[in-house]
Amino acid sequence: MCTRSIARRRPQRAAGVLLSALALLAGSACSVAGADPIGEGPDTLRVVLPEEPPTLEPCDASLTATGRVTRANITEALTERDPSTGRLEPALAVKWTRTSATSWTFTLRPGVTFHDGSAFTAAAAAFSIRRATDSAIECNVDGYIFSDSEVTARAVDDSTLEVETAEPDPILPLRLSFVEVVPTSTNPKARVREPVGTGPYRLDEWSQGRFLRLKRYAGYWGEAPDYAAAKYVWRAEGSVRAAMVTNDEADVAIGLAPEDGAGDRAVEFVTNEVSYLRMDATRAPLNDIRIRQAVNYAIDREGLVTAVFAGRPSGQLVSKGVTGHNPRIGPWPYDPDRAKDLVAQARADGVPTGTTVTIIGRNGIYPKAAEAMEVVQDGLLKAGLKVEIKMLDVNAWLEYLLRPFPKNTGPTLLQAQHGNQAGDAAFTMGQIYGSEGAQSSYGTPALDAAIEKAQLASGTERQKAFAQAFARQNDEVVRDAVMANMTGILALSPDVRYRPDSATSDEMRLADMRRAD
Amino acid sequence: MFTMLRRRAVSSVVPLLVVVLGVFFLARLTGDPANLYLPLSATPEMRADFAARNGFDQPLVTQFGDYLAQVARLDFGESLRTAQPAAEAVLRAFPATLQLAGWTMLLALVGAVVIGSVAAYRPNSATDRIASFLSSTAASVPDFWLAIMGVLVFAVTLGWLPTSGTNGGAAWILPVATLLVRPFGVLVQVVRGAMVSALSAPYVKVARGKGASEARVVFGHALRNAAAPVLTVAGDLAVGLVNGAVVVETIFGWPGIGKLMIDSVLQRDFAVLQAAVLVTALAIFALNILVDVCHALLDPRVRLRAAA
């Protein structure tokens, strides 16, 4: 009897162990569900992003994931560039003058306070510039905007700032539009994760992995934004982001592709991103300019933007509105016969056109990245070249983008995209087309000289010099096959009024988002 | 039982070390993370600083030795991406996955036992054929497709459920349902197979002959004997869930370990990846031991073998 009852209990105990383990796991479910403390009333603007910002460190605001939350929302800079006109506008500085070839004086806006209540002064501005350009904390903005330039900032009095550069720098005020201003209490020796700024919103709560909430800053110096709070969440899948807006779970979703199904909530806008293929002009057969021209003629750009990704065919790496954009450079025409002729001519002259050219692609660089490369491959095969595709993830692809380049790879075409968010060709030309540029596989002395001349010029001279440098690249060097100026898509709730611009992907100004009523 | 537990724990140490070693070296073969973390125009000095600060300038063997010493002190390093302790990120993400997997297995097991038993009660009947067809379909549906279809149908078209997120009980339904389908399909087939043979065994006839009720015959006698293979398969499926909730977590924005692992692989966030893999491996070993314990409780022969 006793034996029987024990035997009967055993399976019950076994099931009990299993069930109680599962129940234990499930029982703590409320720590994930139902614990969201956010009231999502009509006063909260709900934004869905493709990824969580790794940090909100202001000196990393040139990183898209960080900048689109931080810039002009939590922190502000001395100046800001209007993406529609390209003009530099006052922000925390009200005016600036060049006092010598290497020095500038800025007059700062009075009555501005940081979110911690402290006053914004020239000392804070000088501190922020030092902190951002001090490579000890390896700020992204340091490498991206200032690279080798040396900057010294000094507070003359509370509202006057003097900035000196080691070399003459005609676009210093533009560079400073990337330095987000923080109070002197910010750690100067380490990155901060949650910044204090002067912007219209302050950080309210960051529940890692789940959401990030900003709250309107009552002491803001400018016009108060419409929404009292903003809540950011992130979903990697584009169709889910679009569905969140159509399902009224979010007001704004960004980074969408045409097939994500945003329907009549979709708003298309031209970005400053340009897609291109970088040709390795040091290796045969790409070392022959006829082959590089043939690659350009063989690509059906209209077909790509109609059937594969969203954009407009383009012929240069910077879009309209960026200083140096050359309106006379159009997209290369699609001419498969010409491409075939050029390859045949080169072959007749002994160029080894049978060598396999590898397209180094990057998954996810834009929607349907792999399909786009298949279209390119098809055009090049028809032109008589031998081409294969290798699709990589970002880090593996970066090995090919940046110097020193991998050896023994054979001739390559690198799938790339460039977005000049700073608005001046100086941030494009040197690093991409200069002989020694970090992303450059090939350049010529003549083009180097043209770039150097343009970098030192200012005003209309600067525009003309950079436009000429682009023309020289396009006519004499042909290092790239520029494909398209990309179009961005966001989904917008009918309750929100917002007009995206070319900077929207990098900088989403919550204050520009208004109620539709 | 204690002997068995001790043996299993000791025999888990070597595979655990192999996992730790493999992840450490394979991650470092995938390229220099400086490319991702420094600006594109970073100077060689900035790159050297970055490498020195993170110990990447040391030989790989030295790095591994340092890592093991760190782990022994329960220090799992810092995330390259967020500069937060890796252990913090993992401990935040792991319960979310565990809860998701827990609910999924519980529902899959209960559902599969009921449906599988009903199907097995009259083999080849219409009910059995329908259950077999649906379960084999369920076992082969891709997670990704199911998740997106779930969002389109139940969130967008019908508006019954939220598309994603973790806010409120309704947010659990789509992720759990998506994860549930495959294990449920597999388990129904296993339960049905085991129950068909159990129900035709002589002891069932004896029980019926003694006048036991049908419910008691099916759930008291047959199911107890069919439980061992079901438990083995359920254990394997649970391991798969803990390890492979990647697609579901990514689509539904579920802050779990699967998504964390994928993000850390793509971001070459070595410390977080290593910590996530280590914790997952530990959980899998623990789960396997739990399955063994349940086996031993169910089957005296297992206990005897373990004690021998």
Side-chain angles (χ1 to χ4, degrees):
Chain A
M1 190 69 185
C2 177
T3 315
R4 191 175 167 227
S5 80
I6 289 171
R8 193 182 299 158
R9 266 207 303 273
R10 269 176 196 140
Q12 288 165 357
R13 273 165 59 195
V17 169
L18 191 66
L19 288 177
S20 53
L22 291 169
L24 191 70
L25 302 175
S28 51
C30 51
S31 68
V32 167
D36 192 335
I38 295 180
E40 291 170 32
D43 268 356
T44 300
L45 182 74
R46 302 160 301 168
V47 183
V48 54
L49 306 170
E51 58 180 325
E52 180 174 15
T55 167
L56 296 178
E57 164 56 57
C59 81
D60 280 347
S62 45
L63 290 172
T64 303
T66 296
R68 62 166 63 122
V69 176
T70 311
R71 274 166 71 85
N73 294 323
I74 302 173
T75 56
E76 297 172 304
L78 295 178
T79 59
E80 59 187 21
R81 178 179 169 269
D82 183 327
S84 338
T85 63
R87 269 202 307 271
L88 201 61
E89 305 283 354
L92 290 180
V94 285
K95 62 175 184 179
W96 49 93
T97 46
R98 194 174 188 177
T99 47
S100 77
T102 56
S103 67
W104 295 76
T105 300
F106 293 81
T107 305
L108 306 187
R109 190 177 293 279
V112 176
T113 54
F114 287 104
H115 301 153
D116 63 3
S118 63
F120 161 65
T121 59
F127 167 80
S128 305
I129 293 169
R130 272 200 298 276
R131 186 174 180 273
T133 57
D134 174 3
S135 64
I137 55 172
E138 288 156 5
C139 288
N140 196 274
V141 76
D142 184 24
Y144 179 63
I145 302 294
F146 292 92
S147 31
D148 291 334
S149 43
E150 273 181 42
V151 186
T152 319
R154 188 175 71 86
V156 177
D157 56 44
D158 270 1
S159 59
T160 313
L161 177 78
E162 210 171 78
V163 185
E164 292 219 27
T165 53
E167 302 291 325
D169 186 357
I171 55 162
L172 180 81
L174 177 66
R175 290 188 207 272
L176 290 181
S177 71
F178 282 86
V179 175
E180 303 296 295
V181 176
V182 289
T184 50
S185 53
T186 310
N187 189 342
K189 290 191 179 142
R191 284 189 166 99
V192 295
R193 197 166 153 68
E194 301 176 1
V196 168
T198 58
Y201 288 92
R202 63 174 176 76
L203 188 62
D204 182 30
E205 189 186 354
W206 185 353
S207 172
Q208 245 178 292
R210 299 179 58 222
F211 67 85
L212 203 158
R213 186 181 159 94
L214 309 186
K215 212 169 175 181
R216 191 162 55 198
Y217 173 48
Y220 184 55
W221 59 269
E223 193 189 337
D226 263 13
Y227 291 95
K231 177 190 178 188
Y232 294 94
V233 294
W234 31 90
R235 304 285 181 262
E237 188 57 35
S239 52
V240 170
R241 289 198 297 280
M244 286 180 75
V245 174
T246 52
N247 208 34
D248 194 29
E249 290 171 42
D251 299 308
V252 186
I254 62 159
L256 302 180
E259 68 272 16
D260 284 335
D264 54 3
R265 303 276 158 83
V267 180
E268 250 188 76
F269 59 99
V270 176
T271 68
N272 53 30
E273 297 287 344
V274 177
S275 58
Y276 69 106
L277 292 169
R278 188 184 77 194
M279 294 189 249
D280 182 0
T282 61
R283 289 192 171 102
L286 296 170
N287 60 358
D288 190 296
I289 193 168
R290 287 169 296 186
I291 300 295
R292 302 202 293 277
Q293 288 166 334
V295 169
N296 269 294
Y297 286 125
I299 297 174
D300 180 3
R301 292 168 176 78
E302 283 292 347
L304 276 174
V305 299
T306 311
V308 186
F309 52 67
R312 294 175 191 167
S314 174
Q316 62 192 308
L317 271 189
V318 294
S319 42
K320 211 172 148 192
V322 173
T323 302
H325 173 83
N326 189 332
R328 286 209 295 275
I329 302 176
W332 284 65
Y334 176 48
D335 192 340
D337 293 337
R338 185 105 184 256
K340 210 184 286 182
D341 279 354
L342 284 164
V343 172
Q345 276 175 33
R347 188 181 302 123
D349 289 345
V351 175
T353 55
T355 308
T356 301
V357 175
T358 309
I359 294 180
I360 306 291
R362 179 183 138 189
N363 285 311
I365 191 168
Y366 38 73
K368 296 193 179 172
E371 286 89 335
M373 291 305 96
E374 281 161 20
V375 171
V376 169
Q377 181 190 35
D378 185 53
L380 299 185
L381 290 174
K382 283 180 184 151
L385 294 169
K386 212 173 153 191
V387 185
E388 60 183 37
I389 302 175
K390 200 158 126 185
M391 295 303 293
L392 304 174
D393 83 340
V394 186
N395 203 44
W397 170 88
L398 279 166
E399 303 275 345
Y400 288 86
L401 180 77
L402 300 169
R403 282 170 183 271
F405 304 116
K407 291 188 171 61
N408 309 320
T409 55
T412 56
L413 291 175
L414 184 82
Q415 179 180 29
Q417 186 169 240
H418 174 65
N420 186 321
Q421 48 167 316
D424 188 283
F427 301 103
T428 299
M429 285 305 252
Q431 59 165 320
I432 293 184
Y433 290 127
S435 301
E436 301 299 321
Q439 299 181 48
S440 174
S441 54
Y442 177 75
T444 65
L447 185 57
D448 285 346
I451 294 170
E452 200 170 323
K453 182 182 158 208
Q455 273 168 345
L456 293 172
S458 53
T460 49
E461 275 307 305
R462 188 178 183 86
Q463 160 62 32
K464 215 167 122 188
F466 271 126
Q468 277 170 356
F470 276 116
R472 187 181 283 270
Q473 192 300 126
N474 195 53
D475 300 339
E476 297 168 15
V477 184
V478 198
R479 211 283 314 270
D480 289 337
V482 174
M483 296 192 294
N485 199 162
M486 307 300 273
T487 302
I489 299 174
L490 60 78
L492 200 61
S493 150
D495 301 334
V496 181
R497 200 157 37 87
Y498 174 60
R499 183 176 293 173
D501 53 44
S502 63
T504 291
S505 304
D506 303 308
E507 181 177 308
M508 294 185 74
R509 291 169 180 255
L510 298 173
D512 289 349
M513 298 179 187
R514 301 274 172 187
R515 283 182 214 287
D517 46 47
Chain B
M1 187 69 80
F2 259 135
T3 319
M4 187 191 84
L5 284 179
R6 202 178 55 240
R7 274 188 199 160
R8 286 303 306 263
V10 170
S11 65
S12 298
V13 171
V14 173
L16 206 60
L17 268 176
V18 170
V19 167
V20 170
L21 189 92
V23 169
F24 187 90
F25 286 100
L26 285 175
R28 277 155 182 80
L29 287 180
T30 58
D32 183 0
N35 290 338
L36 284 172
Y37 291 97
L38 295 181
L40 295 182
S41 51
T43 58
E45 293 75 40
M46 284 168 85
R47 287 174 172 274
D49 278 353
F50 178 84
R53 205 159 29 85
N54 293 293
F56 300 147
D57 55 343
Q58 301 294 315
L60 268 185
V61 179
T62 316
Q63 288 185 43
F64 187 62
D66 291 349
Y67 173 64
L68 285 185
Q70 253 187 338
V71 170
R73 296 193 305 271
L74 293 181
D75 172 4
F76 295 90
E78 231 179 45
S79 161
L80 281 176
R81 186 169 144 86
T82 65
Q84 302 282 293
E88 232 175 64
V90 172
L91 292 179
R92 199 170 36 241
F94 198 65
T97 297
L98 224 48
Q99 289 156 27
L100 202 58
W103 274 112
T104 302
M105 278 317 292
L106 185 69
L107 294 175
L109 261 177
V110 171
V113 163
V114 173
I115 306 278
S117 303
V118 169
Y121 191 64
R122 296 205 195 289
N124 291 322
S125 64
T127 316
D128 182 28
R129 282 183 194 162
I130 291 170
S132 296
F133 171 74
L134 290 181
S135 61
S136 56
T137 309
S140 52
V141 178
D143 289 351
F144 181 81
W145 181 83
L146 205 63
I148 295 290
M149 289 313 288
V151 170
L152 283 178
V153 174
F154 295 102
V156 178
T157 310
L158 300 172
W160 292 348
L161 297 169
T163 58
S164 54
T166 56
N167 196 12
W172 286 75
I173 296 175
L174 279 178
V176 169
T178 307
L179 271 181
L180 177 74
V181 168
R182 204 192 337 238
F184 174 73
V186 173
L187 282 174
V188 165
Q189 289 175 350
V190 174
V191 171
R192 182 198 168 274
M195 286 295 277
V196 166
S197 51
L199 283 169
S200 59
Y203 65 84
V204 167
K205 287 177 188 153
V206 172
R208 280 195 176 121
K210 282 184 173 177
S213 71
E214 277 307 286
R216 179 148 174 67
V217 166
V218 173
F219 293 106
H221 293 276
L223 188 61
R224 196 173 84 201
N225 285 284
V230 175
L231 200 62
T232 309
V233 175
D236 288 347
L237 290 170
V239 165
L241 283 182
V242 170
N243 208 18
V246 173
V247 169
V248 166
E249 289 182 358
T250 301
I251 289 178
F252 293 106
W254 198 267
I257 200 90
K259 187 170 185 317
L260 186 73
M261 272 197 218
I262 281 289
D263 288 348
S264 23
V265 168
L266 293 176
Q267 297 290 332
R268 305 298 193 268
D269 201 345
F270 298 151
V272 176
L273 178 65
Q274 286 156 195
V277 170
L278 184 64
V279 168
T280 308
L282 281 171
I284 288 171
F285 284 125
L287 201 61
N288 282 330
I289 290 175
L290 183 73
V291 170
D292 285 350
V293 169
C294 292
H295 254 178
L297 292 174
L298 273 172
D299 189 344
R301 286 168 301 178
V302 175
R303 279 200 305 283
L304 288 173
R305 270 205 306 274

